[in-house]
Amino acid sequence: MGELKPYKQGYYLWLYVPSLAAAIIFLLFFAVATMMHTYRLIKTRTWFCIPFAMGGIFEIYGYGGRCGAYKNTASLFSYALSNNGALLAPALFAASIYMTLSRLIRALHGEKHCIIPMKWLTKTFVFGDIASFAVQASSTGLSVTGHGAAAKAVVLLGLFIQLISFGLFGVVAAVFYRRILKSPTSECFNSNVQWESSLHMLFTVSALIMIRSIFRVIEYWSGESAYLLQHEWPMYVFDSVPMLVVMTLFYVRYPSRIQAKGK
């Protein structure tokens, strides 16, 4: 039976003892999903999906950290693994999602329907994604040095960057969808592209990541004395399950067939 222990001088890394059974179950789920994504990206050579597969790896070691923390909640290594894995994986998923939209627009020759010039489209979103990733990654160092309040502020900043980036992405994708429906290009009638189902997939996975990020903002904003940070089940319901669904949907509608003519 796990026991809640302080890291040092009465400072607790965890506010509860992580569930070993839940951590093992989701570790196995994400391991299977990651192996399937890795196999598909290598088979189809869809290299822009490498960040997505890396996100799955982050999820795996995140839940591995929870498994280790069950027996020793004072373990700095287990806490760092769990914290980084859960926080950073969605940013890696987002990188491939952003690049999928860019390739879809080019495949349809629908650049005129995009409200952001194509030369800036991917750069804009990936830059925001990298900023979100870097900011959230820096929070672990603050946590383990006892700067809990500063760490939570940094996490919130990274999550807000992610929310703004995804919000803008949703606007760009929705406007493009509306315009391409009104004025379809000849490539829209190419059944190999499957652009509508791909856009629907992008909308769905983006919404799930938004929901997860909003949950994380509320969780950290509420503080350590609030219910969300003191109980584990909300994290599985609003983070683990949505991210597993994201990996499943992206695999089902894998963007390997999205490519511009002649490329």
Side-chain angles (χ1 to χ4, degrees):
M1 182 68 181
E3 180 183 352
L4 191 61
K5 299 178 181 179
Y7 170 54
K8 60 180 179 180
Q9 299 177 352
Y11 177 73
Y12 287 82
L13 297 171
W14 298 86
L15 299 178
Y16 53 79
V17 177
S19 167
L20 180 61
I24 291 175
I25 289 171
F26 276 89
L27 186 154
L28 293 175
F29 280 156
F30 280 108
V32 172
T34 301
M35 286 189 292
M36 293 172 66
H37 274 274
T38 303
Y39 171 77
R40 176 160 283 189
L41 82 85
I42 293 174
K43 181 179 180 180
T44 62
R45 298 186 178 183
T46 314
W47 306 125
F48 69 90
C49 290
I50 289 178
F52 202 97
M54 289 177 61
I57 294 174
F58 271 59
E59 293 282 10
I60 292 170
Y61 79 64
Y63 290 97
R66 284 184 169 267
C67 291
Y70 171 77
K71 291 186 177 181
N72 185 10
T73 56
S75 170
L76 178 60
F77 180 70
S78 296
Y79 175 79
L81 283 180
S82 175
N83 195 56
N84 274 352
L87 282 176
L88 302 181
L92 292 166
F93 294 154
S96 292
I97 291 170
Y98 295 150
M99 289 186 279
T100 298
L101 177 63
S102 176
R103 280 157 176 74
L104 183 60
I105 293 173
R106 293 183 186 279
L108 296 177
H109 293 180
E111 290 86 348
K112 65 181 180 180
H113 296 312
C114 186
I115 60 177
I116 296 179
M118 292 304 298
K119 66 178 181 178
W120 296 109
L121 182 63
T122 302
K123 295 177 183 178
T124 299
F125 293 124
V126 171
F127 176 79
D129 201 45
I130 292 173
S132 173
F133 185 96
V135 170
Q136 292 182 76
S138 65
S139 67
T140 300
L142 291 171
S143 295
V144 300
T145 54
H147 297 82
K152 288 177 176 57
V154 171
V155 170
L156 284 169
L157 176 60
L159 290 170
F160 276 123
I161 294 173
Q162 192 172 76
L163 284 172
I164 292 171
S165 184
F166 255 106
L168 179 59
F169 173 79
V171 170
V172 171
V175 171
F176 171 76
Y177 186 41
R178 180 174 60 85
R179 290 180 176 180
I180 201 74
L181 285 176
K182 288 185 176 180
S183 180
T185 61
S186 59
E187 285 74 15
C188 290
F189 303 101
N190 181 357
S191 60
N192 289 328
V193 177
Q194 298 180 347
W195 63 275
E196 282 197 89
S197 60
S198 296
L199 273 174
H200 292 161
M201 179 272 291
L202 291 180
F203 288 138
T204 304
V205 297
S206 298
L208 288 170
I209 294 179
M210 283 282 285
I211 291 170
R212 172 264 176 195
S213 297
I214 292 172
F215 159 72
R216 285 295 191 177
V217 167
I218 297 173
E219 180 187 43
Y220 280 94
W221 192 281
S222 301
E224 293 184 354
S225 60
Y227 183 89
L228 293 179
L229 276 177
Q230 293 194 0
H231 296 81
E232 188 174 24
W233 72 264
M235 187 276 298
Y236 280 101
V237 172
F238 296 105
D239 191 320
S240 307
V241 172
M243 293 306 97
L244 187 60
V245 174
V246 165
M247 292 198 75
T248 302
L249 292 178
F250 200 83
Y251 181 85
V252 171
R253 294 296 182 187
Y254 207 70
S256 57
R257 301 176 73 178
I258 300 175
Q259 57 183 346
K261 187 177 181 180
K263 295 184 180 180

